[in-house]
Amino acid sequence: MKRSSAVIRRAVLAAAAVALATGCTAQAAGTGGGGGASPSSKAPTTAAPTPTTDDKPPSPSASSTTPATPDTEEPAPKALMGDGDESEQVRELQARLRQLDYFDRAPTGFYGTMTAGSVKAFQKKQGLPLTGSVDEVTWQRLLAASRKPTADELKPSTTNKLDTPDARCMTGRVLCISKESRTLAWMIDGRVVSSMDVRFGSENTPTREGTFSVGWKARKWTSTIYHTPMPYAMFFSGGQAVHYSADFAARGYNGASHGCVNVRDRAKLSALFDQVKVGDKVVVHW
């Protein structure tokens, strides 16, 4: 009887051990006592690195690349000529633009708003940036599109056609100034030595008409009333004088003087200034 009880007890203990071993295995595979194992319960695997060539390490991912440096603006092309410049190169520029019908008057050598507008028109035709100033690209395009100006193209006698000289201008040394044709003719004994375009005063400050003489000259002078430069001034009637005007060179007949006779061609007036003497006649007429 005792032997049978011992055998039975050993059989029961063996069965319990098997049951406990099975239950522990299922619990460990589960996610919290739920029974069966889920796909996410599998142990993670590490992917092998992508093979590379030349024993170089794999390329970094897009997220780890170094940020690109910001773009920098290209420096603006250097201007060879621009607003306010005055030189023989500007005169050549104007003569070449005039050949191509971009500049409609005689070259003055002064780079003003009219010249800038002509340059812009040329740049537009060439598909270039409309800067109004001349850089190396604009200049080279213009050289290719035009020919070398002649002496007469660089310094024509005048833009405006001279009219018949006043009778008072036919003898002696005379600055013969016509309000009708807006010209000044330097005449000696009835012969025109040189001529140039001129501009006069407005209705409020008109240029006086009549026969005068050069009272005094000043190569460099600044108006004591308006505080503006009056280079190559030749005074003939009080404060009124023949002189160079940068404003006339830049704006043409869109402006007016305060009574003086403005000249826009500095080089031609400089040569005239050296020839005219104090006491020479001045005739201002219609």
Side-chain angles (χ1 to χ4, degrees):
M1 185 71 177
K2 292 181 179 179
R3 180 182 175 90
S4 299
S5 299
V7 172
I8 293 171
R9 190 165 41 251
R10 284 196 296 271
V12 172
L13 290 173
V18 171
L20 286 172
T22 303
C24 287
T25 303
Q27 183 69 29
T31 57
S38 68
S40 60
S41 65
K42 294 181 181 179
T45 59
T46 303
T50 304
T52 59
T53 59
D54 300 332
D55 296 326
K56 295 179 181 178
S59 300
S61 64
S63 61
S64 63
T65 56
T66 303
T69 56
D71 294 334
T72 56
E73 295 183 359
E74 290 289 334
K78 180 181 179 181
L80 303 178
M81 291 170 274
D83 189 52
D85 289 345
E86 189 169 7
S87 67
E88 288 306 304
Q89 188 179 23
V90 173
R91 186 184 295 276
E92 180 181 351
L93 165 71
Q94 293 167 333
R96 288 179 180 272
L97 289 170
R98 193 179 190 191
Q99 291 175 7
L100 303 175
D101 295 325
Y102 290 107
F103 195 72
D104 61 358
R105 59 190 178 89
T108 64
F110 182 83
Y111 203 118
T113 54
M114 290 184 176
T115 303
S118 299
V119 169
K120 280 186 178 181
F122 175 76
Q123 289 172 329
K124 182 177 181 179
K125 182 70 174 180
Q126 294 290 318
L128 299 173
L130 307 183
T131 63
S133 59
V134 179
D135 56 22
E136 185 64 32
V137 175
T138 301
W139 182 239
Q140 291 301 323
R141 293 280 186 92
L142 182 60
L143 292 180
S146 59
R147 54 176 171 75
K148 184 177 180 179
T150 64
D152 187 60
E153 286 176 324
L154 289 170
K155 297 182 180 181
S157 59
T158 182
T159 299
N160 301 323
K161 184 179 179 180
L162 293 172
D163 59 3
T164 303
D166 186 271
R168 293 168 290 179
C169 300
M170 299 307 294
T171 57
R173 298 161 57 89
V174 189
L175 291 172
C176 191
I177 302 168
S178 170
K179 285 188 171 182
E180 180 68 28
S181 63
R182 297 190 291 190
T183 57
L184 180 155
W186 169 232
M187 303 180 64
I188 299 177
D189 296 330
R191 179 177 63 90
V192 176
V193 178
S194 65
S195 60
M196 56 205 72
D197 298 334
V198 293
R199 185 179 72 171
F200 304 101
S202 65
E203 292 183 2
N204 295 326
T205 55
T207 302
R208 290 184 280 274
E209 300 157 26
T211 302
F212 312 93
S213 63
V214 177
W216 59 289
K217 300 166 54 180
R219 187 176 298 274
K220 294 181 180 180
W221 186 258
T222 299
S223 171
T224 57
I225 300 175
Y226 303 106
H227 309 291
T228 54
M230 297 170 56
Y232 306 107
M234 294 176 280
F235 291 88
F236 62 86
S237 177
Q240 294 191 352
V242 175
H243 69 84
Y244 171 74
S245 168
D247 182 76
F248 184 27
R251 299 197 299 141
Y253 292 103
N254 291 325
S257 75
H258 293 100
C260 289
V261 178
N262 290 165
V263 177
R264 61 184 173 189
D265 193 321
R266 186 176 188 131
K268 293 179 75 171
L269 184 59
S270 173
L272 177 62
F273 183 89
D274 292 336
Q275 298 174 49
V276 173
K277 300 176 181 178
V278 172
D280 284 344
K281 189 190 302 183
V282 178
V283 176
V284 181
H285 67 92
W286 279 101

